[in-house]
């Protein structure tokens, strides 16, 4: 009875070992190739979309830059044309030879239709304006309102003027305190002033004009906003 049990136990152990030796290892899991393929397609699609976006962005930038450059170039051309027009407005000159020294002669020139006297050129614009507008108009012609510091200058200018009209000159008193000053910053000299008797007579009249009164030409002060003719003056050009 005891021998059978021993055999049975031995047989059981043998069977256990036998079954363990014949057991096969578990199969390895199959690779998920479908996931990698879909991931690769997504990356390619993302890359293509990014390239298309960058291409469209570059095209849009190029178009915008071309439009801006065209408008900027047109603006520069218009500005240049305006400046050129302003610069060549008085480039037609009338010149005469002058003896600059005993051994040398030069050409002294004034813009066309201007009057020459001494070292200066003069013109009377055809339109009446207030004092500020008159000075601005002279400045646009590279000149300024008349500065009159000598009797010879006064006598020459007045012989060309219509006695029925009055003409702004470049003399003003901006603060109404009898501090008269010339537009070209020339010092005002009371001894070389040509005021009519009793002028200047009103601190509120802060601009000076040249007028013919009592059979003589002289200055009187008036309100600056009145429309009057004017006299412009500029330096001669020497070539």
């Amino acid at each position: 009875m005891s021998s059978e049990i021993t055999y049975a136990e031995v047989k059981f152990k043998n069977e256990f070992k036998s079954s363990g030796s014949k057991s096969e290892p578990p199969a390895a899991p199959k690779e998920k190739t479908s996931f990698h393929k879909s991931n690769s397609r997504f990356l390619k699609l993302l890359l293509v979309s990014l390239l298309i976006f960058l291409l469209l962005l570059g095209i849009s930038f190029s178009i915008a830059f071309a439009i801006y450059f065209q408008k900027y170039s047109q603006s520069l051309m218009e500005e240049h044309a305006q400046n050129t027009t302003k610069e060549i407005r008085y480039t037609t000159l009338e010149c005469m030879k002058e003896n600059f020294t005993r051994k040398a002669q030069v050409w002294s020139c004034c813009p066309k239709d201007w009057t020459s006297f001494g070292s200066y050129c003069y013109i009377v614009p055809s339109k009446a304006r207030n004092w500020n507008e008159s000075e601005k108009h002279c400045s646009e012609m590279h000149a300024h309102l008349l500065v009159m510091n000598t009797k010879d200058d006064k006598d020459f200018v007045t012989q060309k003027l219509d006695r029925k009209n009055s003409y702004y000159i470049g003399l003003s008193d901006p603060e109404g305190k009898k501090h008269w000053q010339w537009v070209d910053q020339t010092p005002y000299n009371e001894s070389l002033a040509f005021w009519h008797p009793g002028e200047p007579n009103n601190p509120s009249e802060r601009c000076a004009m040249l007028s013919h009164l009592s059979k003589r030409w002289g200055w009187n002060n008036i309100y600056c906003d009145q429309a009057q003719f004017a006299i412009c003056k500029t330096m001669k050009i020497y070539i």
Side-chain angles (χ1 to χ4, degrees):
M1 186 71 176
S2 60
S3 61
E4 290 180 359
I5 294 172
T6 302
Y7 177 77
E9 289 177 353
V10 171
K11 185 177 180 181
F12 176 77
K13 290 180 181 179
N14 289 338
E15 288 179 356
F16 177 78
K17 292 180 179 178
S18 174
S19 63
S21 62
K22 291 182 180 180
S23 62
E24 297 180 357
K30 295 182 179 180
E31 296 181 358
K32 299 180 180 180
T33 57
S34 60
F35 173 77
H36 291 289
K37 289 182 179 179
S38 62
N39 192 26
S40 177
R41 290 195 193 98
F42 175 76
L43 290 175
K44 289 181 180 179
L45 181 61
L46 181 62
L47 180 61
V48 172
S49 301
L50 181 61
L51 290 175
I52 293 174
F53 173 76
L54 293 175
L55 180 61
L56 293 176
L57 185 63
I59 293 173
S60 300
F61 177 79
S62 299
I63 294 174
F65 179 78
I67 294 174
Y68 171 79
F69 182 77
Q70 183 179 6
K71 290 183 177 180
Y72 180 72
S73 300
Q74 185 177 359
S75 176
L76 285 180
M77 291 177 64
E78 291 176 355
E79 182 178 355
H80 177 71
Q82 291 176 358
N83 292 337
T84 302
T85 302
K86 183 181 293 186
E87 289 176 0
I88 67 174
R89 186 175 181 182
Y90 293 101
T91 54
T92 303
L93 301 176
E94 296 177 340
C95 305
M96 63 176 63
K97 277 190 175 182
E98 291 187 4
N99 292 325
F100 193 71
T101 65
R102 290 183 178 181
K103 296 182 179 180
Q105 288 185 329
V106 297
W107 289 94
S108 65
C109 307
C110 284
K112 187 178 180 181
D113 299 327
W114 289 54
T115 301
S116 170
F117 178 69
S119 300
Y120 298 94
C121 310
Y122 304 81
I123 195 171
V124 176
S126 59
K127 181 180 178 180
R129 299 175 174 86
N130 64 39
W131 192 91
N132 287 325
E133 291 174 346
S134 296
E135 171 57 18
K136 181 180 178 181
H137 182 65
C138 291
S139 179
E140 289 173 349
M141 298 187 291
H142 307 288
H144 54 72
L145 282 172
L146 175 65
V147 174
M148 183 185 296
N149 288 319
T150 67
K151 185 177 183 302
D152 290 341
D153 199 10
K154 170 180 171 286
D155 291 343
F156 171 78
V157 170
T158 54
Q159 69 181 349
K160 306 289 183 179
L161 303 179
D162 186 344
R163 295 182 179 183
K164 297 178 182 179
N165 296 327
S166 298
Y167 304 85
Y168 276 125
I169 61 175
L171 187 64
S172 65
D173 178 18
E175 298 180 358
K177 296 182 179 180
K178 296 184 180 180
H179 294 160
W180 294 92
Q181 58 189 37
W182 293 104
V183 291
D184 68 346
Q185 306 305 315
T186 299
Y188 171 72
N189 189 341
E190 183 68 33
S191 63
L192 294 175
F194 302 100
W195 295 105
H196 283 296
E199 300 287 346
N201 60 358
N202 185 347
S204 298
E205 297 175 343
R206 301 177 182 181
C207 292
M209 69 177 184
L210 184 63
S211 60
H212 191 270
L213 299 173
S214 303
K215 299 182 180 181
R216 64 185 290 267
W217 285 96
W219 306 344
N220 63 288
N221 59 328
I222 64 168
Y223 292 103
C224 299
D225 58 355
Q226 293 186 21
Q228 302 287 346
F229 289 99
I231 307 167
C232 299
K233 178 181 180 180
T234 189
M235 287 286 294
K236 278 185 177 179
I237 299 171
Y238 292 94
I239 57 177

